[in-house]
Amino acid sequence: KIDSNIGLLENLSVLDLSGNLLQNISSDLSTMTDLIELDLSRNNISGSISDELSAMTNLGKLNLTYNDLTGISSSIVALKKLYSFEIYHNENMGWIPVEVIDRLQNLLTKDKKKISEKLRSLVTNSDQDYFVRSMPNQAFEWIVNQSSTFVLDDKSFTQQYCLSVLYFNSNGKYWTNKTDWLQSRDECDWYGVQCPNDDVVELKLANNNVSGTVALSGDCLGKLNLFDLSQNSIQKIDSNIGLLENLTVLDLSGNKLENIPSQLGLLTKLSFLWLHENPNLAGRIPSEVADVMMRNDKINASETILSNVPVSRSTIFEYGTSQFRAFNDILYRYRMQQDEISLSSTDLVYRYILGTLYFATNGDRWELNNKWLTPANHCTWYGVDCNTDDEVTKLDLYNNNVDGTLPKELGDLRKLTYLDLDVNSLRGSIGSEIGQLTNLEA
């Protein structure tokens, strides 16, 4: 905390309070009208920059970097003597008034000012990021250097800037394969980037140690059609992914996502969205995302499943549930293996019910799980027998390290005559739905 008596130091010209634990900007600083330099960087200052700072009419240098500021008033432009003003590394900054952006740009060096003007004209709202947020700021510094090394047309300039934002946000220097990223003149030579007609239309970075946040900038990858980020360690997807208006395939499976932005619902052309195997996701899926998943459902799997297994209605669109995972597994496998997999109404229902058992009881750790969840007919999966109509009549997983809670969907195996789950590690209670298995003989 800054003591109120600091305002009595009327003749002070330089005040450096950087690297402390300050939480706000004291209004008493505004009385220090002779102050020329003020450094409040590397503190914990939150909230908005006060209008009262505009009273410090002789201020020439202001450093507010590395804080947690959320807003800034346009009154800051009243500081006519300001020759240095830095506010980057404020990750939660809200909307910055245009007058402030203009002032920040005018304080840049000649080369940086030229690049900033170009970015602002080509990439919508990019200036709201690179002046205040760490990774876009790194991308800005990089594109300034890149532009001084190579002559880039407008398309390459915008695509390289946007891809560099992705690179810095997702810890690109630790990627398994980052061949040519931020190195070569042509972004279409970068690993995983595919560009017919020089437009970035596919980004394939699966199983590449991509982590952190997937964030782009503005609308500079507007032609992107496929984005594969599966099997990585991504924690967050930024809301601006909703600007990828031509995206049709988005694979986020096998990550560590903690949220899915509702802005995915803006992607009206999205036909395939994969979210399965993200163990940190919890709670109900935003309705906008559920709508996208329903559009993904080219085989009407959800309608078929819910009409035959109504007990799943409350959980099939809830992150992390065995029902959600089984449903997504069906959609994913149909997309990837549709030439190998048969999905009649009967196949769909039984594959789904058995899938809920698999995911609810850690099927990947069973002693034997031959063919489970593969394109093979469900009647050939280990421990499963069927009648001539492919309806499951026998389920024998005796002494198989089945570990977890039985899903209520098992009650919809109406033709089941034999069920053996003895000598396993089942927990919890047996749901009343099991009582629906009226044909059991053993």
Side-chain angles (χ1 to χ4, degrees):
K1 181 179 179 179
I2 301 176
D3 191 279
S4 59
N5 290 324
I6 196 170
L8 300 176
L9 302 174
E10 297 178 354
N11 297 317
L12 199 66
S13 61
V14 177
L15 178 59
D16 187 346
L17 293 171
S18 61
N20 284 285
L21 300 174
L22 299 175
Q23 297 181 347
N24 56 65
I25 301 175
S26 173
S27 59
D28 298 294
L29 291 175
S30 63
T31 62
M32 304 174 71
T33 53
D34 287 336
L35 204 62
I36 297 174
E37 295 184 13
L38 176 60
D39 190 346
L40 294 171
S41 63
R42 299 183 184 277
N43 278 285
N44 297 325
I45 300 172
S46 60
S48 297
I49 298 175
S50 171
D51 289 344
E52 294 169 327
L53 282 184
S54 61
M56 304 171 73
T57 53
N58 285 306
L59 199 62
K61 185 175 183 180
L62 177 59
N63 189 343
L64 294 167
T65 59
Y66 294 95
N67 279 290
D68 194 26
L69 293 167
T70 56
I72 181 171
S73 168
S74 58
S75 64
I76 201 79
V77 301
L79 299 175
K80 302 300 184 184
K81 295 184 179 180
L82 209 59
Y83 61 85
S84 175
F85 179 28
E86 296 177 307
I87 56 170
Y88 56 87
H89 293 283
N90 280 279
E91 308 304 322
N92 297 312
M93 179 68 76
W95 185 260
I96 306 172
V98 174
E99 310 94 294
V100 178
I101 294 287
D102 289 341
R103 188 61 182 278
L104 287 166
Q105 181 171 278
N106 288 331
L107 295 175
L108 295 173
T109 63
K110 181 179 179 181
D111 289 343
K112 289 183 178 181
K113 183 178 179 181
K114 181 180 178 181
I115 296 302
S116 179
E117 289 172 345
K118 189 173 183 179
L119 267 178
R120 292 178 72 184
S121 69
L122 295 173
V123 184
T124 306
N125 296 331
S126 57
D127 48 12
Q128 294 289 327
D129 288 328
Y130 62 76
F131 278 118
V132 292
R133 293 179 176 84
S134 308
M135 303 309 168
N137 182 261
Q138 287 187 48
F140 176 74
E141 296 289 342
W142 175 81
I143 199 66
V144 169
N145 181 67
Q146 182 79 337
S147 297
S148 67
T149 306
F150 301 110
V151 177
L152 302 174
D153 60 28
D154 287 352
K155 182 184 291 186
S156 275
F157 177 84
T158 56
Q159 290 183 160
Q160 288 194 23
Y161 172 72
C162 202
L163 290 171
S164 68
V165 171
L166 170 66
Y167 180 89
F168 288 116
N169 267 297
S170 59
N171 300 304
K173 67 179 179 179
Y174 299 115
W175 290 357
T176 303
N177 191 335
K178 52 181 182 291
T179 303
D180 287 332
W181 273 76
L182 310 193
Q183 301 297 321
S184 68
R185 180 199 177 282
D186 189 349
E187 67 277 12
C188 298
D189 293 334
W190 299 358
Y191 171 77
V193 179
Q194 296 186 15
C195 328
N197 302 318
D198 295 327
D199 291 307
V200 176
V201 297
E202 293 188 0
L203 265 176
K204 296 180 177 180
L205 297 172
N207 196 24
N208 201 43
N209 200 35
V210 180
S211 62
T213 299
V214 171
L216 305 171
S217 182
D219 49 4
C220 49
L221 291 181
K223 298 292 181 68
L224 191 64
N225 179 264
L226 182 151
F227 201 179
D228 187 354
L229 291 163
S230 59
Q231 306 305 315
N232 283 295
S233 300
I234 299 163
Q235 291 91 41
K236 182 181 178 183
I237 302 294
D238 197 86
S239 61
N240 58 18
I241 198 169
L243 296 173
L244 301 176
E245 60 182 12
N246 284 300
L247 200 63
T248 62
V249 178
L250 177 60
D251 193 344
L252 299 171
S253 60
N255 278 283
K256 299 178 180 178
L257 291 173
E258 297 172 354
N259 79 305
I260 298 295
S262 61
Q263 285 80 0
L264 281 182
L266 299 174
L267 302 176
T268 56
K269 296 182 181 180
L270 195 62
S271 300
F272 299 100
L273 170 64
W274 312 125
L275 300 173
H276 58 288
E277 303 312 305
N278 275 281
N280 296 335
L281 287 175
R284 192 75 177 167
I285 298 173
S287 59
E288 298 89 343
V289 179
D291 289 343
V292 173
M293 293 181 66
M294 295 295 281
R295 292 205 305 269
N296 287 356
D297 189 1
K298 307 300 182 186
I299 51 176
N300 294 319
S302 56
E303 181 179 340
T304 302
I305 289 168
L306 293 177
S307 63
N308 287 276
V309 194
V311 74
S312 290
R313 193 169 298 277
S314 64
T315 49
I316 198 169
F317 289 120
E318 188 168 329
Y319 294 130
T321 62
S322 59
Q323 294 79 13
F324 174 81
R325 296 170 73 186
F327 174 56
N328 271 269
D329 184 78
I330 288 173
L331 296 185
Y332 182 75
R333 290 182 190 279
Y334 182 75
R335 157 72 175 172
M336 304 305 293
Q337 301 166 319
Q338 55 186 296
D339 294 334
E340 307 170 49
I341 194 169
S342 170
L343 286 180
S344 66
S345 176
T346 300
D347 294 326
L348 266 175
V349 171
Y350 282 105
R351 179 174 285 269
Y352 171 74
I353 293 173
L354 293 173
T356 65
L357 173 64
Y358 181 91
F359 288 114
T361 59
N362 301 293
D364 58 330
R365 296 201 291 268
W366 291 353
E367 292 290 341
L368 293 171
N369 57 12
N370 302 348
K371 296 189 178 180
W372 276 72
L373 305 189
T374 69
N377 183 281
H378 62 277
C379 298
T380 66
W381 296 359
Y382 172 78
V384 179
D385 283 344
C386 300
N387 60 22
T388 56
D389 293 322
D390 284 347
E391 297 169 314
V392 175
T393 57
K394 179 179 179 180
L395 185 56
D396 185 357
L397 296 174
Y398 170 83
N399 192 20
N400 201 43
N401 196 35
V402 179
D403 181 9
T405 303
L406 292 179
K408 53 194 176 181
E409 284 74 14
L410 281 186
D412 283 298
L413 295 177
R414 302 300 177 88
K415 300 293 183 177
L416 200 64
T417 60
Y418 183 94
L419 175 62
D420 191 350
L421 296 168
D422 196 18
V423 194
N424 282 294
S425 301
L426 294 172
R427 298 186 298 277
S429 58
I430 298 176
S432 60
E433 292 82 5
I434 298 296
Q436 298 170 181
L437 301 176
T438 56
N439 290 312
L440 278 182
E441 298 172 358

